[in-house]
Amino acid sequence: MDPIKTVIPPACCTLNISGVQQKRLINMFKALGNPIRFEIIKFLVTHPGCICGDIVEHLPIAQATVSQHLKVLKDTGWISGIIEGTATCYRLDEKNIAWFRSLIGEIF
Amino acid sequence: MDPIKTVIPPACCTLNISGVQQKRLINMFKALGNPIRFEIIKFLVTHPGCICGDIVEHLPIAQATVSQHLKVLKDTGWISGIIEGTATCYRLDEKNIAWFRSLIGEIF
DNA sequence: TCCGTTAATCGTATATTTACGATAAACAAT
DNA sequence: ATTGTTTATCGTAAATATACGATTAACGGA
């Protein structure tokens, strides 16, 4: 007797990912799933190397809060910051974003 | 006298998006930025049309919680559900995911 | 050395998210 | 009609995220 075969129609995406990579991706999603952080990333596209104060001026929230969001974005790989005297210059983490882009292309 | 020109090096992505589209995208990111919901989406890739109970069996959380996550995924456009008798069959919202994919391709 | 500038961190209040059990609603089968 | 099955929703507890003012730390310039 033939075994029962269930045909699974091909899905619109594979989401073929797991483990550490999946965790990393989820954290990147989560970080960008916040309007303020999304705006910060947008701002960095046009203002690479800007300092925390520039971002504070551009947003309606306090410096401490901006700093906190910058930390989240740094920890999840969206941005990097280099200390320059008393300021910190922030820019997109292009390498990690490239990883994100190619991974999305693979699994979606 | 010449105006000062600041050259902005081309960024690794444009993030050229705003308004309602941006809000929609952010909400999709936020929804997928949760490990449980990510697993649900992965499960639906291989089990299209499955019912809530199938997902409950597959995950270590209560039925009420799964239902709540399904609602979030539905509200953000990741999945759709059609009522079939007393059950509800869930599947990926392929149209919306296609929108997501192409948008990501544009702005990243 | 003593200020002024900048950003990170601390402590904390509030809001949101996540989880659960209990219950309700909707339907199928007997 | 009654019973069983399935899922959504309600109420609520606990955890996490978000925001702020105050403080600290690190550096540059007078």
Side-chain angles (χ1 to χ4, degrees):
Chain A
M1 187 183 146
D2 281 341
I4 298 168
K5 290 181 187 175
T6 307
V7 177
I8 300 172
C12 63
C13 54
T14 70
L15 287 181
N16 187 18
I17 187 178
S18 64
V20 182
Q21 284 217 325
Q22 175 172 318
K23 254 181 209 159
R24 243 178 97 194
L25 182 66
I26 289 175
N27 283 333
M28 287 190 84
F29 277 143
K30 188 173 170 187
L32 219 58
N34 171 288
I36 294 285
R37 286 194 289 266
F38 197 90
E39 287 298 335
I40 291 176
I41 294 293
K42 272 174 74 177
F43 186 76
L44 286 178
V45 169
T46 48
H47 301 77
C50 74
I51 67 175
C52 179
D54 298 332
I55 301 170
V56 172
E57 273 182 25
H58 184 250
L59 293 175
I61 56 177
Q63 179 268 321
T65 310
V66 170
S67 215
Q68 216 170 338
H69 283 306
L70 287 169
K71 182 168 164 45
V72 172
L73 290 171
K74 193 141 64 77
D75 289 347
T76 52
W78 283 106
I79 67 176
S80 65
I82 62 167
I83 298 170
E84 199 116 327
T86 153
T88 308
C89 301
Y90 286 100
R91 60 190 71 253
L92 298 179
D93 186 337
E94 309 221 349
K95 212 170 160 185
N96 223 18
I97 292 178
W99 174 82
F100 174 82
R101 179 174 34 245
S102 86
L103 185 59
I104 293 292
E106 274 175 42
I107 71 176
F108 277 101
Chain B
M1 187 180 147
D2 282 342
I4 297 168
K5 291 182 187 172
T6 308
V7 177
I8 300 171
C12 63
C13 53
T14 69
L15 288 181
N16 186 18
I17 187 179
S18 65
V20 181
Q21 282 215 325
Q22 175 174 317
K23 252 180 211 160
R24 240 178 99 194
L25 181 65
I26 289 175
N27 283 333
M28 287 190 83
F29 276 144
K30 188 173 169 186
L32 219 58
N34 171 288
I36 294 285
R37 286 194 290 264
F38 196 92
E39 286 299 335
I40 291 176
I41 295 292
K42 272 174 73 176
F43 186 76
L44 286 178
V45 170
T46 49
H47 301 77
C50 74
I51 68 175
C52 177
D54 298 332
I55 300 170
V56 173
E57 273 182 26
H58 183 251
L59 293 175
I61 56 177
Q63 179 268 321
T65 309
V66 170
S67 214
Q68 216 170 339
H69 282 306
L70 287 170
K71 181 168 166 45
V72 172
L73 290 171
K74 192 142 65 77
D75 290 346
T76 52
W78 282 107
I79 67 175
S80 65
I82 62 168
I83 298 171
E84 199 116 325
T86 154
T88 307
C89 301
Y90 287 99
R91 59 191 70 252
L92 298 180
D93 184 336
E94 310 221 349
K95 212 171 161 185
N96 223 19
I97 293 178
W99 174 83
F100 174 82
R101 179 174 35 244
S102 86
L103 186 58
I104 292 292
E106 274 176 41
I107 70 176
F108 277 101

